[in-house]
Amino acid sequence: MLAYTLLILLAGGLQVLAARVKVTWDVGYLNISRDGSTTWRAIGANGQLPIPPVYVTQGDILELTAINHLDKPVSLHAHGLFQRNSAYYDGAGFTTECGIPPGSQFTYIIETRDQSGTYWVHSHYGTEGIDGLRTALVILDQDASLLDEYDEDVLLALEDWGQEPNDNLLERLKTLSLVGMPPNHPSVLINGIYANLSQPIRFTPGRRYRLRVISMSFTYWFKVRLPGHTMQVIEADGIYSQPSAADGLDLGPGQRYSVIITAQESLEFNYALNVTFYSNFIARMQGLTPRYHQVPIVYRDDAPIKTFPMIEDHEVKWVDELFMEPRDKQILLEPVDQHIVRNVKALTRELGIPSYAFGDYAYDPVPVPPLLTALTTGNMALSPSVYAPQLNAIILQHNHVVELELRNPDSLIVHTYHSHGHAFQVVESGPVHKNSSIPVKRFKGRQPMRRDTITLATGQYVRVRIKADNPGV
């Protein structure tokens, strides 16, 4: 359900027309098959999956109401939206809220005046997001110079889709060791449709297409390439960049890119957009991981698909944020007031269940969300000891420049990390261990690229910076 109310804002004698966009989701269960084979009880909105993408224009106020018809709490997080000075609308279950109880409803107020670009909305409570409660959120630009760079806007939302409710997997994890856990090989959804049935994208010769690619995955990675065309990358995670050429995108869970692709001048051939679905924590199995899918790029209905020689991944120029520059030219934050180092630790829970943490304790939800603790404990809120040990709390001083060095010395798993309320300046990456062949990479110039979701590879570190100017948890 979607409704609009127009607002006229007066500022300095200037009239700005904005909309109050009202979206209502009746969140409930539905039995559905999305991969052509398995049917199971998923979670959707208004009785449907996929949930339609949400489009607003920069400056709009999005009112997203969730009415909970499940038998457990619900929360909704707008991934990448800063919620400046309104962390209570961030939607992180057990962190900024307790969740919306069954039979209740809540409205999230999402301001967009300071942000535009490509985002997504997902449940931040348990496994509800991977069970279906997720969709794209696009904030359309007001900047005419950006709109002049392309002719059409195309969405490519990528999802992992399991074979059963993910709560079932968690229950089995409680009773089986890692060795006894059967492998789970999800399917791929592209724009909400099983990847083998992907709908074609139509190109007109010479036109410029902005392709917004969103990884709405929770576990797997995606690689995206369009042979025969060059991608000009202009956005990473809602931060606009100077255009930079790339042959392909490598997206971890939660990451997003916008690329501009100029169509060929000829109608002689159609092309295939290649989507690779892969994971480094599940053993390779032919036909299951990695998986290869194609989205038809159609210039002419009866044209043949042009074929290209196979090339290895190391021959591809993949996008890399350390070689990108932000369009707003924000310079490196300095001097650093607080330097924090955290190592990924592999931990073992009861019954041999593996887990990973940045401290000595694996994360577990706590009865009182830490945002409420911070708001109700006075000066004690400035002490990490006030918060439960499994939260591994870090206290930042307002407006301090913080450099965070995340290290993955021994874990065999590549991790992604998402910042709520801030976008990282990505400063450097390199090897944790001496005598490693992994190169050190550092941004060039004075303006590091920013993004809200970063990848931390095995045996590597990543250094990022933020200014702690958005109070919250």
Side-chain angles (χ1 to χ4, degrees):
M1 183 184 299
L2 185 64
Y4 290 86
T5 302
L6 294 181
L7 300 175
I8 296 179
L9 308 177
L10 299 178
L14 191 66
Q15 285 195 356
V16 181
L17 194 63
R20 187 175 289 272
V21 182
K22 299 182 179 182
V23 178
T24 299
W25 285 359
D26 283 296
V27 178
Y29 297 110
L30 65 160
N31 290 315
I32 191 170
S33 174
R34 303 183 74 190
D35 60 3
S37 60
T38 57
T39 298
W40 49 274
R41 192 176 77 159
I43 299 174
N46 304 327
Q48 62 179 325
L49 278 175
I51 300 170
V54 177
Y55 285 86
V56 298
T57 300
Q58 185 177 10
D60 291 347
I61 298 172
L62 173 61
E63 296 185 6
L64 178 56
T65 299
I67 304 172
N68 185 7
H69 298 286
L70 305 180
D71 54 8
K72 55 187 175 180
V74 166
S75 73
L76 296 178
H77 170 59
H79 187 108
L81 274 293
F82 295 150
Q83 295 292 5
R84 189 166 297 281
N85 297 315
S86 56
Y88 41 83
Y89 286 133
D90 190 56
F94 297 114
T95 300
T96 60
E97 63 171 80
C98 298
I100 306 166
S104 300
Q105 68 181 58
F106 183 76
T107 299
Y108 296 90
I109 307 298
I110 301 170
E111 301 268 2
T112 69
R113 62 179 176 271
D114 297 325
Q115 294 183 260
S116 63
T118 311
Y119 306 89
W120 59 305
V121 177
H122 61 85
S123 173
H124 210 294
Y125 194 99
T127 62
E128 293 166 357
I130 196 170
D131 283 353
L133 194 53
R134 53 185 168 184
T135 195
L137 169 61
V138 174
I139 303 177
L140 301 170
D141 304 285
Q142 292 276 27
D143 187 342
S145 64
L146 283 169
L147 298 175
D148 287 342
E149 294 183 15
Y150 57 93
D151 303 303
E152 295 188 34
D153 203 320
V154 179
L155 182 65
L156 192 75
L158 307 172
E159 300 176 63
D160 49 355
W161 187 251
Q163 301 166 4
E164 60 181 322
N166 283 271
D167 275 348
N168 293 2
L169 295 176
L170 292 180
E171 286 302 314
R172 289 212 301 276
L173 271 173
K174 294 177 182 178
T175 58
L176 294 173
S177 70
L178 180 63
V179 174
M181 184 67 188
N184 178 34
H185 297 285
S187 299
V188 179
L189 305 178
I190 299 178
N191 289 337
I193 298 172
Y194 181 43
N196 287 349
L197 304 174
S198 295
Q199 298 298 302
I201 299 173
R202 293 191 171 272
F203 273 18
T204 299
R207 287 182 69 80
R208 300 162 302 168
Y209 294 83
R210 176 177 179 170
L211 185 63
R212 300 177 187 262
V213 186
I214 309 176
S215 172
M216 301 197 308
S217 169
F218 282 80
T219 53
Y220 277 61
W221 266 246
F222 291 97
K223 290 180 179 177
V224 178
R225 294 184 59 235
L226 180 53
H229 301 73
T230 298
M231 297 178 172
Q232 291 290 334
V233 185
I234 63 164
E235 178 206 355
D237 297 353
I239 305 297
Y240 283 95
S241 67
Q242 300 292 350
S244 58
D247 297 326
L249 309 175
D250 193 357
L251 300 98
Q255 292 186 317
R256 298 93 64 207
Y257 287 102
S258 280
V259 299
I260 294 178
I261 300 173
T262 300
Q264 300 284 1
E265 294 292 344
S266 171
L267 292 170
E268 182 179 3
F269 292 105
N270 294 329
Y271 295 81
L273 181 81
N274 296 328
V275 177
T276 302
F277 182 61
Y278 74 100
S279 169
N280 75 328
F281 61 88
I282 293 179
R284 293 177 65 94
M285 186 175 296
Q286 187 172 359
L288 292 176
T289 179
R291 294 190 189 188
Y292 304 96
H293 299 281
Q294 293 185 328
V295 178
I297 304 296
V298 176
Y299 282 79
R300 195 183 81 233
D301 287 335
D302 58 349
I305 295 178
K306 187 169 185 177
T307 58
F308 294 86
M310 294 290 293
I311 61 174
E312 300 293 332
D313 273 4
H314 69 268
E315 301 176 86
V316 176
K317 182 182 179 182
W318 300 103
V319 65
D320 188 333
E321 61 264 18
L322 282 164
F323 301 120
M324 298 171 65
E325 294 183 8
R327 195 170 294 209
D328 63 9
K329 301 184 183 300
Q330 184 188 96
I331 64 172
L332 177 68
L333 294 168
E334 53 185 354
V336 172
D337 299 301
Q338 188 174 359
H339 182 75
I340 300 167
V341 178
R342 288 292 183 270
N343 287 286
V344 175
K345 293 184 178 181
L347 305 175
T348 302
R349 296 174 182 260
E350 309 86 49
L351 302 173
I353 298 172
S355 187
Y356 297 90
F358 276 129
D360 295 327
Y361 301 95
Y363 172 79
D364 273 314
V366 292
V368 178
L371 178 62
L372 302 185
T373 300
L375 291 173
T376 57
T377 54
N379 289 334
M380 290 190 299
L382 302 177
S383 171
S385 63
V386 170
Y387 305 92
Q390 67 264 39
L391 299 180
N392 299 298
I394 299 171
I395 306 299
L396 305 181
Q397 297 298 313
H398 188 235
N399 282 329
H400 272 195
V401 172
V402 180
E403 182 171 85
L404 181 61
E405 181 176 319
L406 305 178
R407 300 161 60 91
N408 187 9
D410 303 313
S411 164
L412 299 179
I413 292 179
V414 179
H415 301 269
T416 58
Y417 294 98
H418 168 56
S419 173
H420 290 225
H422 297 83
F424 303 110
Q425 285 188 336
V426 186
V427 176
E428 183 178 292
S429 70
V432 172
H433 304 292
K434 295 180 179 179
N435 303 320
S436 170
S437 60
I438 298 171
V440 174
K441 295 187 296 183
R442 185 175 174 84
F443 81 99
K444 306 298 181 184
R446 302 183 64 232
Q447 301 159 1
M449 187 59 189
R450 305 190 305 282
R451 69 181 317 162
D452 60 55
T453 306
I454 58 171
T455 296
L456 183 58
T458 301
Q460 295 192 29
Y461 69 84
V462 176
R463 287 195 188 119
V464 297
R465 292 185 186 181
I466 63 167
K467 185 174 182 179
D469 58 359
N470 187 16
V473 175

